[in-house]
Amino acid sequence: MREENQSATTDFILLGVTGQQEQEDIFFILFLLIYPITLVGNMLIILAILSDVRLHNPMYFFLANLSLVDIFFSSVTIPKMLANHLLGSRAISFAGCFTQMDFMIFLANTDSYILAVMAVDRAVAISRPLHYTMIMRPCSCVLMLVASWAVAIINSIPHAVFTASLSFCENREVDNFYCDVAALIKLACSDNHLNVKMLHLGASIFSLPFLCIIISYVWVFATVLRVPSTKGILKAFSTCGSHLTVVSLYYGTVMGMYLRPLTSYSQKDAVITVMYTAVTPMLNPFIYSLRNRDMKAAVGKLFSRSSSSPQ
């Protein structure tokens, strides 16, 4: 009876990751573990960077902003999924659905551009160490970050406007645990050819930073291979390895989802979206801190400072 009442409204119905109740219970527990780990891990990264003067440089400035974006990114979808599961409801309002979709596109793009900026920063640091401070000046870093947010906004707004203007059928069941743009376009009764073109264009714009990252690391590897010291080579690859791990997870799943025909999209693809909406933001703090001596020292100092503070 509840499902009939929900379908009779203008709300959308989020079918979840698999649509199977037993499996949804498992994903609920998974998300219940992932979300606090994501919040705590990324907050620790931000606090450690803010509290340690040695980390006040471009690399960690961008990392702190990546952690901030990841907190917002996870918070747009996971709390709603958890709340719906606890309340026994799968509904999300029309306005809530498109707000969620717009923020997801915006934050996904911001993540993408910050990862690209971080790759450029590493390329300059390794290939032009003597000119690094002159190239990566504070004002330059701030401008690159502002540009990342601005381009992300420009890329997200058209999707929200064009998708919200579609007419939707009586079937408002979204094949995902959040309002994914591809799933919404597929539900439309009106002509969606323009939206499909916008989706592919947006995915292409999203992927441009990936090309920038590839070029940056080709530049890095070309420089590193000219270093006569084996120790220098290993240190450079260790510095870049964590960033490449994040890039591979993030772009691999997103590009696999949206650079393909809309007709091939189904609910089984919702499992793929879990990787970049929940898993990657959770892994970032571990990847960047556990493989980075300076970050480990800063986090350790943060814990020792909090434990030694007067009660």
Side-chain angles (χ1 to χ4, degrees), residues 69-77 104 107-108 111 250 276-277 281:
V69 172
D70 282 340
I71 290 172
F72 291 145
F73 196 35
S74 296
S75 299
V76 170
T77 58
M104 280 298 293
L107 292 168
D111 235 350
Y250 191 63
Y276 66 84
T277 59

Side-chain angles (χ1 to χ4, degrees), residues 176-209:
N176 214 317
F177 67 95
Y178 72 97
C179 288
D180 177 60
V181 60
L184 289 173
I185 292 173
K186 196 173 179 181
L187 285 178
C189 292
S190 54
D191 182 31
N192 63 6
H193 285 88
L194 180 60
N195 298 80
V196 172
K197 289 180 180 178
M198 284 292 301
L199 178 65
H200 292 155
L201 176 62
S204 300
I205 294 172
F206 173 89
S207 304
L208 286 177

Side-chain angles (χ1 to χ4, degrees), residues 7 51 65 71 85 111 128 131 137 148 160 171 177 180 183 219 225 250 284:
S7 301
S51 64
N65 279 277
I71 290 172
H85 191 90
D111 235 350
R128 296 289 185 271
H131 302 91
R137 292 174 298 176
S148 298
N171 176 22
F177 67 95
D180 177 60
W219 190 10
L225 293 175
Y250 191 63
N284 279 352

Side-chain angles (χ1 to χ4, degrees), residues 203-260:
S204 300
I205 294 172
F206 173 89
S207 304
L208 286 177
F210 183 57
L211 295 177
C212 179
I213 293 170
I214 292 174
I215 294 169
S216 296
Y217 277 104
V218 168
W219 190 10
V220 166
F221 295 150
T223 303
V224 166
L225 293 175
R226 291 198 297 267
V227 177
S229 169
T230 305
K231 186 178 179 181
I233 293 174
L234 292 175
K235 183 179 179 181
F237 275 106
S238 176
T239 303
C240 301
S242 56
H243 186 249
L244 284 174
T245 303
V246 176
V247 166
S248 301
L249 286 172
Y250 191 63
Y251 284 97
T253 50
V254 174
M255 291 169 66
M257 274 291 297
Y258 301 108
L259 290 177
R260 58 176 177 153

Side-chain angles (χ1 to χ4, degrees), residues 255-294:
M255 291 169 66
M257 274 291 297
Y258 301 108
L259 290 177
R260 58 176 177 153
L262 186 66
T263 52
S264 65
Y265 187 95
S266 63
Q267 189 170 7
K268 65 181 181 181
D269 296 310
V271 178
I272 301 174
T273 65
V274 173
M275 180 59 71
Y276 66 84
T277 59
V279 177
T280 303
M282 179 192 68
L283 290 178
N284 279 352
F286 296 100
I287 291 171
Y288 283 111
S289 60
L290 295 179
R291 298 192 62 180
N292 187 301
R293 187 176 300 172
D294 293 335

